[in-house]
Amino acid sequence: MSLPLLGLLLLLGLGLLLQCGWGLVAALRRPPGTLAALTVPVGALLYGGVLSAWSAERLYQNALGNLDDPDLPLRMLMERPGIWEGLCWGGLGAAASVLPLLVGVLIGALRTPPSERSWLPTMVASFIGFAAPLVLGMGMLEGEFVLELGLPALALCLLLPPGLAGMAAKKTRAMAGMGLMIGLCGLLFGGYALMQSLPREQLQRDLGALLNLWAPFNLGILTAAVAVPVGWLAAPGGRSSMGVIGAPIAFILLGVVISLPPGWLAFRQIQLGRLTGMYELTVAQTAADQSGISRLPRSEGLPGRILVASTVLPRWLERSAEGLVATRLEGELLDVGPQIRRGDGILLPPSLNIEDFYLLLSGSNAGSVGLVACAAVGPVLLKQVSRDPLLATGWCGARPLRLRRGLEEGPARSLILLKDAQVDEDAEIRSLSELRLDERPVLVRLQLDAKMSDFLNFLARVPAQTEVYLGWGVQLDGTPLPVGVED
């Protein structure tokens, strides 16, 4: 736990004691100044929001400085939940610190003489506001994230009765309304941050259910928030006073100030998703269109630049400071070899001929490339993740393929891959299903009448830790075809 977060928790601990004192003063019908009584919850919200915004900015700048790191998206996804901790603790802590004050305001309102109070604002606000916990409760029927929705729903049930009832007395109306609005802001930001800070495995697994919760969550908090100014305006005999006119304006201004740090946090998260996540999401969508390569073991992260070797629309995909950059390939696909650099990725369609694969690598001095592979992802999930592209991290990766390894160097095993899932090892032809490989390096030469699908099926049987070297191709007349630049 970071030192700034510990400072926030210390502030909340001491502030809760102070809020209990303010609540006691309000219960004695001596309500303190509104600004003084709300300093702790407002400070917690701002502190937590600024802390999270600062963490998001630092993470974003870190991503900008490491765009060439293949493991960048995974690292960003693993570190991203941490940027929400400040807002989560600040928001939920603000809601908790408001509760003692609202209870004291309620007691003070009940002790106010009947001539000085009116229950009309409370009844009008309750007619609207008490639908909020019901909306959140209905969202819990989805069966997922019960804790994440149940906590805001429980907090709403605790905050609404004393907050709305405290609006009955004129002397406590301002503190009840402003305190309740601060508590609702804390629930909104804290609850949202709580859901965003879930472990990445849970976010990726239950993304669809999580997206279904945003509507009841936002609607529930918004319903309670609307009830406060509506109840305020329903106060009899005070429509022309500056307090009644200024209260909605004060609510809006306060909400804007509190929303600035979370707004910057959300903005940076969107940029972070575009910077690191949109690239992998696009590759996953492209791989889904080409299909057939999901079984390829991925032992490395996604390369920073990928050649989509499609005969329809060959192009380069690249991760940059602006996010995804797609560049259409100039010239023919089979002339792209000199443009391939060491570490580049290649996304290959299974229908590609092996001869075309060798011609594609012709003239390349890369030495090593990554064959890109992605997990099988359905169109519904692809559409859902497009709202938060960073969650696509881990879908795609690369299988390193070493090029230009001379046959005279003698790897542990040397194979010739034939068509129809056949393998030639030391002049002995066997079925690919009978092949057993360990983690020792293996050199494979490809016969040119095979398909890329044969090679991908072969690689699917090779352990992810095994180094695979691509030797010269074997033409049908037995003559070799060089890999990359001919020595």
Side-chain angles (χ1 to χ4, degrees):
M1 185 175 293
S2 65
L3 186 61
L5 188 57
L6 284 174
L8 174 60
L9 297 179
L10 180 62
L11 171 66
L12 288 173
L14 297 176
L16 192 59
L17 297 176
L18 180 60
Q19 292 300 99
C20 290
W22 286 130
L24 179 61
V25 172
L28 298 175
R29 296 181 56 204
R30 296 176 182 176
T34 304
L35 294 180
L38 296 178
T39 299
V40 171
V42 172
L45 260 178
L46 289 176
Y47 190 137
V50 170
L51 178 59
S52 286
W54 174 73
S55 300
E57 179 67 25
R58 186 179 58 177
L59 192 64
Y60 177 72
Q61 296 300 330
N62 182 275
L64 283 179
N66 296 275
L67 290 175
D68 295 333
D69 183 3
D71 296 324
L72 176 65
L74 180 60
R75 187 160 54 85
M76 293 296 103
L77 183 62
M78 294 180 68
E79 294 182 12
R80 192 181 72 163
I83 70 178
W84 291 94
E85 288 182 349
L87 188 60
C88 178
W89 284 103
L92 298 180
S97 62
V98 163
L99 183 58
L101 179 66
L102 292 181
V103 172
V105 169
L106 169 62
I107 297 174
L110 294 176
R111 297 181 62 196
T112 301
S115 60
E116 298 180 16
R117 67 171 182 246
S118 171
W119 292 105
L120 182 60
T122 298
M123 289 187 294
V124 171
S126 300
F127 180 75
I128 302 173
F130 274 89
L134 299 179
V135 172
L136 284 176
M138 291 175 63
M140 293 173 62
L141 297 178
E142 185 71 22
E144 303 284 348
F145 303 99
V146 175
L147 174 62
E148 286 72 23
L149 264 190
L151 189 59
L154 176 62
L156 260 183
C157 293
L158 295 175
L159 290 174
L160 278 176
L164 296 182
M167 296 174 64
K170 184 176 181 179
K171 186 179 293 187
T172 59
R173 188 170 299 148
M175 189 173 299
M178 295 296 287
L180 185 55
M181 291 297 284
I182 294 297
L184 293 176
C185 284
L187 286 182
L188 178 64
F189 296 136
Y192 188 85
L194 180 63
M195 285 183 265
Q196 288 291 335
S197 61
L198 291 172
R200 66 182 183 91
E201 295 83 3
Q202 188 175 2
L203 278 173
Q204 290 177 310
R205 184 183 68 245
D206 301 327
L207 179 63
L210 178 62
L211 292 175
N212 292 334
L213 297 185
W214 295 138
F217 179 78
N218 294 331
L219 182 60
I221 302 295
L222 180 63
T223 300
V226 168
V228 178
V230 171
W232 186 285
L233 294 173
R239 294 180 182 275
S240 61
S241 68
M242 290 300 296
V244 172
I245 296 174
I249 299 177
F251 293 150
I252 295 173
L253 290 178
L254 185 61
V256 169
V257 172
I258 293 175
S259 300
L260 287 178
W264 185 257
L265 166 63
F267 173 67
R268 279 309 192 203
Q269 173 159 293
I270 292 174
Q271 286 189 312
L272 190 65
R274 291 175 178 173
L275 184 67
T276 60
M278 187 58 71
Y279 176 66
E280 187 154 356
L281 178 60
T282 303
V283 174
Q285 292 172 332
T286 305
D289 294 338
Q290 294 191 173
S291 71
I293 59 174
S294 59
R295 294 174 55 240
L296 190 61
R298 308 182 298 277
S299 56
E300 291 187 356
L302 202 60
R305 194 173 78 136
I306 293 174
L307 171 64
V308 180
S310 170
T311 56
V312 179
L313 182 60
R315 58 198 182 277
W316 286 101
L317 300 178
E318 189 170 3
R319 186 169 56 225
S320 71
E322 291 76 28
L324 172 69
V325 175
T327 306
R328 186 164 183 171
L329 194 66
E330 296 182 1
E332 297 295 330
L333 177 62
L334 301 184
D335 298 329
V336 75
Q339 301 179 34
I340 300 176
R341 303 192 298 256
R342 184 176 183 85
D344 282 344
I346 305 178
L347 185 57
L348 295 162
S351 59
L352 186 71
N353 295 320
I354 291 298
E355 183 175 8
D356 291 339
F357 175 53
Y358 273 96
L359 293 176
L360 183 148
L361 296 173
S362 177
S364 172
N365 196 27
S368 177
V369 296
L371 298 184
V372 175
C374 298
V377 182
V380 175
L381 189 55
L382 282 170
K383 184 177 180 180
Q384 290 174 342
V385 172
S386 64
R387 304 182 187 182
D388 193 354
L390 192 56
L391 292 180
T393 301
W395 285 356
C396 299
R399 176 61 189 262
L401 184 63
R402 320 294 178 181
L403 308 180
R404 302 180 60 207
R405 167 77 174 244
L407 295 179
E408 68 279 358
E409 296 184 21
R413 298 182 71 173
S414 180
L415 308 171
I416 298 177
L417 182 65
L418 311 176
K419 66 176 183 178
D420 299 328
Q422 300 290 316
V423 178
D424 181 350
E425 182 175 15
D426 299 328
E428 179 183 350
I429 298 178
R430 67 180 69 176
S431 172
L432 182 61
S433 60
E434 301 174 359
L435 184 65
R436 298 292 181 268
L437 293 173
D438 51 30
E439 296 184 0
R440 294 177 296 172
V442 59
L443 173 69
V444 59
R445 302 175 62 195
L446 309 180
Q447 188 163 289
L448 300 190
D449 61 344
K451 292 284 187 181
M452 199 65 213
S453 57
D454 295 317
F455 187 36
L456 296 174
N457 288 334
F458 166 80
L459 291 175
R461 302 187 60 84
V462 180
Q465 298 79 14
T466 302
E467 290 188 347
V468 179
Y469 294 86
L470 181 63
W472 286 22
V474 180
Q475 303 190 62
L476 297 183
D477 59 1
T479 59
L481 183 66
V483 180
V485 177
E486 185 175 358
D487 294 326

